[in-house]
């Protein structure tokens, strides 16, 4: 059985493009470019909580990198470097190799240098810390949304939640929909190009990891706003088509997480700019509502014109199963 | 039971001193000073592998920060920022509060801003990533030791290993020795001031986490050197006094880890400079041997003049218990 140092040598020492010193010493060495702020974020994925213990390792490697890189997109930052610490129940060379391949593939796809980390024995746990750069003062935070701003969502959120429900045996997806939904769940695409394009356009932004409404609550809290969403505006058609049930599609779109789409506010005056970005990137950007006066509830206007309010309560890893 | 966001709000949002944006958004924002390189290191601590599952949380918080900060010392860098991701089997407010207090106390003691992280449910796992600054090109790596350099160790390594053996029931320490050894094990002191003082003096350096000989092997490998150590030079007296057994003390000093002392090489011409640093810091620095021609073994000269060679084989988390 290969040991820790051998595993690191064999799988974790990939080339670096813009790093002074990568894997192999007490620390890595890097430099930010002049005028840039460093953006730092850390995400931990745990077997049984964030993924099935028998998850396919290459996809899991991709996802571990992707969910971290997505945090850079959400700040309008350019992802540049990443570290990976992982605990493994056993030293399985084949598993580690496939996992490292998926992790490295995602890093390479987004220009991110994998600069170091740690390996140890323990229940399967994957902890990455990602570093990005943003011109000083240009990061898009969660606190800048203003009354009257449009509220936008990228892509077609809901597929990942459907994929998860399928794997849990709660629904059965047809073959084509299954492929789309499992791909959304297992190989999310961080919206890096979109995040960068929205610098100076969006007033508040985050990536949806825990569910659209739950994550929207963070923008409301930090921007001191409320929000109103209209069912008729939601990009429901593709999710309904995949699930065959509009009610289920709506729950997946508004409540499901794990799609890593960007949710952002932008002034009315930027509406055409946002639509132009959508066209340039070939990525649907959908205006789903508007920022309102401060409120603890999110108003959703249903198709029949009635207003439903939902508590601005985030999904919570600890409370969700208690 | 408090949820994830409530736990973060309550315990993890401490003040920051030199950070543009701390906990609460998709990422933290910071800037390195002009002319500085950023040094990055990540360490993961797992219950059952690195600490007892019933470890006292405040000391565990201290140690989680300390072992990471120690990596900055080992690079001759000034520690500046840290993130913490942790998985918890249950949301225990009292435990998390004590852990966060210990973690924050160590950060404050070394001028480190705690800028973010992640909490999730899972088997107890603590993953910190630390960032330091070092003037460009001045980091002390593992690859600069040269034939004839003195080999030095800080402090009195071996106490932590004795403390661990006591807790495992393999030895019984007297009351006074027990306090010293358990303190070394539970509240290691990263040698930050020493690391900074050795910038421009040491040719190679690392912190001893896995055992003096095992970690020395990394310097030999990267510096293309061998090393010879003399028993008569080793700072054995305090460890022998604590354990009451010179053989045990020697094994603890050379093979035990977890003291986080700095092991470094420095040219003969710097010998007085090193001794002056020792006096200024009030910290024993002991010359234990010399760097030799490239070799896969470390020669240790025993008191009777005989030479013993030991394989330059690092302690390995995966192989140690297989």
């Amino acid at each position: 059985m290969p040991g820790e140092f051998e595993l690191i040598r064999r799988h974790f020492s990939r080339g670096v493009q813009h790093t002074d010193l990568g894997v192999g010493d007490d620390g890595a060495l890097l430099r930010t470019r002049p005028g840039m702020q460093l953006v730092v974020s850390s995400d931990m994925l745990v077997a049984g909580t964030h993924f099935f213990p028998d998850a396919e390792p290459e996809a899991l490697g991709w996802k571990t990198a992707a969910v971290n890189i997505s945090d850079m997109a959400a700040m309008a930052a350019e992802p540049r470097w990443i570290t990976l610490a992982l605990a493994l129940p056993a030293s399985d060379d084949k598993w580690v190799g496939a996992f490292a391949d998926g992790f490295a593939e995602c890093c390479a796809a987004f220009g991110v240098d994998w600069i170091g980390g740690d390996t140890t024995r323990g229940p399967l746990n994957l902890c990455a810390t990602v570093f990005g750069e943003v011109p000083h003062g240009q990061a898009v935070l969660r606190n800048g949304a203003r009354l009257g701003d449009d509220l936008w969502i990228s892509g077609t959120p809901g597929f990942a939640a459907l994929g998860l429900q399928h794997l849990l045996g709660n629904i059965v997806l047809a073959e084509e929909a299954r492929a789309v939904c499992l791909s959304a769940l297992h190989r999310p695409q961080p919206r890096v190009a979109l995040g960068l394009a929205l610098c100076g356009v969006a007033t508040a932004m985050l990536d949806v990891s825990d569910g659209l409404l739950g994550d929207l609550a963070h923008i409301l809290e930090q921007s001191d706003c409320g929000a109103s969403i209209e069912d008729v505006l939601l990009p429901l058609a593709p999710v309904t088509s995949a699930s065959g049930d509009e009610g289920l599609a709506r729950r997946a779109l508004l409540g499901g997480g794990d799609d890593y789409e960007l949710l952002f506010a932008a002034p009315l005056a930027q509406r055409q700019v946002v639509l132009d970005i959508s066209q340039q990137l070939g990525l649907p950007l959908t205006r789903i509502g508007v920022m309102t006066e401060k409120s603890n509830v999110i108003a959703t206007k249903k198709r029949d014109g009635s207003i439903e309010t939902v508590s601005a309560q985030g999904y919570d890893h600890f409370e969700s199963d208690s």
Side-chain angles (χ1 to χ4, degrees), chain A residues 2-321:
Chain A
E4 179 192 8
F5 300 121
E6 176 58 24
L7 276 182
I8 292 174
R9 235 187 310 266
R10 202 178 293 171
H11 301 298
F12 288 9
S13 301
R14 314 261 168 159
V16 289
Q17 301 296 322
H18 43 258
T19 304
D20 296 332
L21 181 71
V23 172
D25 215 292
D26 292 293
L29 291 170
L30 55 92
R31 276 171 292 172
T32 50
R33 290 167 293 187
M36 294 296 215
Q37 274 175 310
L38 193 73
V39 191
V40 179
S41 179
S42 208
D43 265 312
M44 182 177 266
L45 304 185
V46 179
T49 302
H50 299 93
F51 57 88
F52 295 99
D54 62 351
E56 198 277 304
E58 190 164 346
L60 188 59
W62 173 283
K63 186 163 181 173
T64 302
V67 304
N68 275 276
I69 291 170
S70 176
D71 281 315
M72 299 296 98
M75 298 283 280
E78 182 185 353
R80 297 268 287 165
W81 302 279
I82 198 164
T83 62
L84 172 70
L86 78 172
L88 292 169
S91 169
D92 178 337
D93 189 58
K94 195 173 154 202
W95 193 96
V96 172
F99 177 85
D101 283 345
F103 189 84
E105 184 194 353
C106 185
C107 291
F110 293 94
V112 173
D113 276 359
W114 180 5
I115 58 170
D118 194 11
T119 65
T120 187
R121 184 190 292 274
L124 186 55
N125 183 304
L126 312 163
C127 180
T129 304
V130 64
F131 317 94
E133 286 181 300
V134 65
H136 182 222
Q138 298 298 303
V140 179
L141 308 183
R142 297 175 172 183
N143 65 2
R146 294 290 168 263
L147 176 66
D149 279 358
D150 289 331
L151 185 64
W152 298 83
I153 185 76
S154 67
T156 50
F159 284 147
L162 291 183
L164 179 61
Q165 292 306 314
H166 177 88
L167 291 180
L168 290 170
N170 296 333
I171 61 173
V172 178
L173 294 171
E175 193 175 333
E176 203 174 319
R178 186 165 69 228
V180 170
C181 293
L182 291 180
S183 173
L185 180 66
H186 290 145
R187 291 180 71 93
Q189 301 295 318
R191 301 303 188 189
V192 172
L194 175 61
L196 292 171
L198 289 171
C199 186
V201 176
T203 53
M205 181 156 65
L206 49 66
D207 62 324
V208 176
S209 55
D210 294 337
L212 196 156
L213 292 182
D215 285 322
L216 174 56
H218 300 308
I219 290 182
L220 301 198
E221 186 186 342
Q222 295 201 28
S223 293
D224 260 337
C225 282
S228 165
I229 287 172
E230 293 190 42
D231 266 21
V232 69
L233 297 175
L234 295 177
L236 264 174
V239 196
T240 302
S241 169
S243 70
D245 176 341
E246 188 175 283
L248 176 62
R250 187 175 181 275
R251 286 201 302 280
L253 195 159
L254 293 177
D258 252 3
D259 284 295
Y260 298 93
E261 295 295 349
L262 294 182
L263 176 68
F264 60 97
L268 181 62
Q270 298 279 9
R271 197 176 283 181
Q272 190 56 49
V273 174
V274 173
L275 294 173
D276 289 348
I277 291 170
S278 171
Q279 194 158 33
Q280 282 156 26
L281 298 178
L283 175 67
L285 298 177
T286 308
R287 186 173 58 83
I288 60 172
V290 66
M291 303 304 293
T292 61
E293 296 279 2
K294 179 172 180 174
S295 170
N296 287 323
V297 294
I298 299 165
T300 62
K301 186 176 172 188
K302 308 199 81 158
R303 282 188 196 281
D304 62 9
S306 66
I307 304 287
E308 190 180 67
T309 58
V310 293
S311 162
Q313 184 70 45
Y315 166 87
D316 191 302
H317 292 302
F318 285 112
E319 293 180 329
S320 62
D321 51 355

